[in-house]
Every structure is written in structure tokens, then in C-alpha cells.
Amino acid sequence: MSKILFVMTGADHWTLADGTQHPTGYWAEEAVAPYEAFKAAGHEIVVATPGGVVPTVDKGSLAAEANGGQENADRIAGVLASAAELQQPLRLEDVNLDDYAAVFYPGGHGPMEDLAVDADSGRLLTLALESGKPLGVVCHAPAALLAATKADGSNVFAGRRVAAFTNAEETQAGLADKAKWLLQDRLTEAGVQVDVAEPWAPHVIVDGNLVTGQNPSSSAPLAVELLKKLG
């Protein structure tokens, strides 16, 4: 059994261009689908957040329409309620990568608020990429890659192929025109190669030890790829 580190947002809102705070957090499916897959495979999960705050689930991600119906929405809410790891996160700044076999970042709009500018997360991502350990990042969580910079200011992930939440998806979700910046644009500006697929369809990119997914429906197939790398 290996330990897998879940690095999760500590934010409960996303500040929009006009200064208003859009309530958010992490997206339920993006945490639950990999959580269930990793646990079923016999792995231990440890959660870390900036400052060790208990992560907030985006209420929208618990809605029936976000989960293919009320029955699955209730099931996902039940998994989150019973996941003790979520209630006892480590402080991200105290994490030692050597303790873990793999690292996974679930999304939601929360990472756009905190992990995108979190230097501790940026250092961890840099070490994880260089270590060769499986590193999974899904949906809006690739915002965290923006904080992984070298001394000269260039991005550690420049030149890497990734999947991430797209401009088209943000537009269809109704928030693109309200955002300070869009994830696909900012990653592209940093030199990261964003591989865009159809909106909302599962899409996973494997580039070396880096495994990324475009949207919530990509979280389960991403977990499969990460487990392959753990052997």
C-alpha cells in the first residue's frame, strides 16, 4: 500500500473581475472518483491544504444535475461525509514529498483563487515533476501549475502537454466573461501546451509522469492512468 497526497484548495470563493466573491471550493466528483479508485486499489490518502484548513466543497458540485441525478449526488455527498481524511488535512507548507508515492490535485474554481499563487504548492509541483512520481492534476487544478516557476520566472511546466478546463467550458458554465483571467489562456501564456478536446467530454493527457484531465468527467479516467503508473 502506498500513500497518495491529495493537494486541495483551501479557498471557499473565487474573486471575479468586478471584485465579487463567487462561492466555490473543490469539485466533488474530482475528489470522490479518484478517492474511491485509489482506496479500492489499497492505497492510503493524505489531504493537504494551504494552512491546513478543512477544504470546502463547491455546493454546485453536489447538485443532482452535476451528478447525473439525485441518487448519485447523494452517494457522492455520502462519500465526502465519511472521508475522514478531508477533516484532518496537513498544512501544505509542512508536506514532505518523500512520504508519498504519488500526488493528485482535484479542481473546482478554488485553485484559481489560492493554489495559482501558492509558492509552497509551486515548489511541491516542481519537486513532484522532477521526482518522476505520478502527478495527477484535473480540471481547474492546473491553475496550480502557474505557481511553479524557476528563478528566472519561467514556468517549470513550459513545453509540457496538459489537459485543463477550457475557455469554451468556462464560457458554457457562464463565468468566462466575469473572470479576471481564463485558465487555458494563462497556461498558454506560460508556455504550457493545452490540448483541447470537446467541452465536457472525458479527456486525459499523459506526458511522462504528468497526468492531466480537462473537466470533472476526466477525473475517473485520470485516476486509472495514475494507478497504472503506481503499478
Side-chain angles (χ1 to χ4, degrees):
M1 179 168 74
S2 300
K3 272 189 184 174
I4 299 177
L5 179 69
F6 272 44
V7 179
M8 300 180 68
T9 179
D12 61 5
H13 67 274
W14 177 33
T15 305
L16 302 177
D18 65 359
T20 59
Q21 294 186 351
H22 174 72
T24 186
Y26 68 88
W27 198 259
E29 181 183 0
E30 296 168 27
V32 169
Y35 177 90
E36 291 188 305
F38 300 153
K39 295 279 267 197
H43 299 295
E44 182 183 344
I45 290 170
V46 176
V47 173
T49 62
V53 303
V54 174
T56 298
V57 65
D58 187 314
K59 298 294 189 293
S61 70
L62 295 175
E65 56 269 27
N67 294 288
Q70 191 61 49
E71 185 178 348
N72 194 47
D74 291 344
R75 188 190 72 78
I76 283 181
V79 174
L80 293 177
S82 65
E85 297 94 339
L86 289 169
Q87 302 306 315
Q88 301 166 324
L90 302 178
R91 285 164 31 100
L92 178 57
E93 43 273 45
D94 296 338
V95 163
N96 182 349
L97 180 64
D98 293 342
D99 296 338
Y100 304 95
V103 179
F104 173 67
Y105 278 66
H109 279 108
M112 301 277 282
E113 184 74 19
D114 61 353
L115 297 180
V117 292
D118 190 292
D120 293 305
S121 173
R123 281 190 289 271
L124 181 72
L125 284 164
T126 300
L127 289 171
L129 186 69
E130 293 171 350
S131 74
K133 293 180 180 184
L135 171 60
V137 194
V138 70
C139 199
H140 283 95
L145 307 187
L146 298 170
T149 53
K150 300 177 185 176
D152 64 3
S154 64
N155 193 280
V156 171
F157 291 86
R160 292 281 185 159
R161 286 180 65 230
V162 306
F165 202 70
T166 64
N167 291 356
E169 287 167 322
E170 202 72 83
T171 299
Q172 291 177 21
L175 287 167
D177 59 347
K178 301 173 185 175
K180 287 182 182 178
W181 50 274
L182 297 177
L183 180 58
Q184 180 184 333
D185 290 346
R186 191 61 69 83
L187 287 170
T188 302
E189 290 164 8
V192 181
Q193 298 178 32
V194 182
D195 193 290
V196 176
E198 285 297 309
W200 313 111
H203 181 53
V204 175
I205 293 290
V206 180
D207 183 347
N209 60 316
L210 177 64
V211 185
T212 51
Q214 180 170 310
N215 44 38
S217 65
S218 305
S219 53
L222 184 153
V224 171
E225 293 298 331
L226 215 60
L227 284 171
K228 284 182 191 171
K229 290 188 173 294
L230 279 171

